[in-house]
Amino acid sequence: MNDHGKTSRREFVIPVATFGLAGSRTMATAAPQEPGRRSVNADQALRELVDGNRRFRSGNRLTPRGRPEEFLTLTHGQFPEAVVVSCADSRVPPEILFDVGVGDIFVVRVAGNVIDGAGVSVKGSIEYAVAELNVPLILVLGHSGCGAVKSAIKHIDDRDSLPGAISGLVELIKPAVAMSKGMPGDLLENAVRKNVEIGVEKLQCLEPIVAPRVKDRKVKVVGGVYDLFSGTVTLIDAQK
Ligand SMILES: [Zn+2]
């Protein structure tokens, strides 16, 4: 229990992750822990996201730490366990689809979940979470029906058909589209996946903060795609 007698997510996620009992509110009676940082590695953090998504899509959300009195212990510091780089799309809210609470994940949202070429604001945010908050896991999350990827497909051969900065944003996704052309299957699905894979690869090689930690196995970068129809996040196997 925390100082206010409320059950924090960190008090029940351990048995959920260990015994696979996702979705059971009886986990709230698990042994209390000190609020603040837990020592979780990337695999544990990923397991908790996977379990949270399972609760979300089955309609058994725990909606942890969602009220002010429940996250008072975080007022002096944050201890997120994962960075989620997701599309800005209104249908892809990471905290909800992973069933996590305030303070659990460090979310960077940008249309098309672009990383390469996205500039200092995106990369700097990710690096801050890794360097200053010691977050062990980075998840790059694309999604089905992504409008930014659709635009890149539609305007793959155009240079100035989109207004404002939209054109520059879409340009960042065109390499994923170009690499997906000619592949078997649906072009949009393939491009969404390729766009995620490119983001993962860029982060794994991002010097000077992320790449050394990946090499030392202190940080893991993974990719996933969220399906708007089923609510399921499918992790991308980097070996494929
Ligand atoms: Zn999108």
Side-chain angles (χ1 to χ4, degrees):
M1 295 290 177
N2 60 25
D3 294 339
H4 304 275
K6 301 295 183 183
T7 303
S8 77
R9 170 175 175 260
R10 287 179 170 81
E11 291 164 10
F12 52 71
V13 288
I14 288 179
V16 165
T18 303
F19 302 114
L21 299 175
S24 172
R25 286 186 181 274
T26 60
M27 290 299 100
T29 60
Q33 292 190 347
E34 289 295 318
R37 173 164 294 285
R38 284 193 312 153
S39 180
V40 299
N41 61 33
D43 290 335
Q44 290 170 319
L46 184 59
R47 183 74 247 165
E48 291 175 6
L49 293 182
V50 169
D51 287 343
N53 180 244
R54 185 180 299 120
R55 293 194 300 273
F56 165 71
R57 67 177 190 260
S58 66
N60 293 316
R61 288 176 60 204
L62 296 171
T63 57
R65 210 179 312 110
R67 296 181 298 183
E69 64 269 29
E70 295 175 318
F71 47 78
L72 276 175
T73 53
L74 295 175
T75 54
H76 299 294
Q78 58 172 321
F79 311 95
E81 296 173 359
V83 177
V84 178
V85 185
S86 73
C87 184
D89 192 301
S90 62
R91 302 164 294 179
V92 192
E95 287 90 347
I96 294 175
L97 61 91
F98 288 119
D99 191 27
V100 295
V102 171
D104 287 331
I105 56 176
F106 191 97
V107 179
V108 179
R109 299 188 68 170
V110 57
N113 42 274
V114 292
I115 293 169
D116 192 31
V120 295
S121 57
V122 169
K123 291 178 180 174
S125 298
I126 298 168
E127 289 178 328
Y128 172 79
V130 172
E132 299 297 326
L133 305 178
N134 295 313
V135 178
L137 174 70
I138 304 172
L139 170 63
V140 181
L141 185 65
H143 67 97
S144 65
C146 182
V149 179
K150 284 182 181 176
S151 292
I153 292 173
K154 183 178 180 182
H155 299 280
I156 186 70
D157 297 321
D158 297 338
R159 289 295 170 190
D160 54 2
S161 60
L162 293 168
I166 301 174
S167 181
L169 174 64
V170 169
E171 283 295 322
L172 301 178
I173 305 173
K174 286 184 177 179
V177 175
M179 295 171 72
S180 301
K181 282 196 168 184
M183 291 176 59
D186 182 77
L187 176 59
L188 177 57
E189 288 183 13
N190 290 335
V192 165
R193 180 189 174 100
K194 180 57 69 178
N195 188 44
V196 169
E197 291 175 342
I198 291 174
V200 169
E201 292 168 5
K202 294 297 179 184
L203 284 176
Q204 288 173 332
C205 299
L206 182 61
E207 298 284 356
I209 294 173
V210 179
R213 288 167 171 79
V214 170
K215 188 177 180 181
D216 293 342
R217 300 191 175 191
K218 294 177 180 175
V219 168
K220 186 173 282 188
V221 186
V222 299
V225 175
Y226 174 68
D227 180 34
L228 294 178
F229 296 96
S230 67
T232 303
V233 172
T234 301
L235 298 178
I236 294 175
D237 185 351
Q239 301 306 314
K240 289 184 179 178

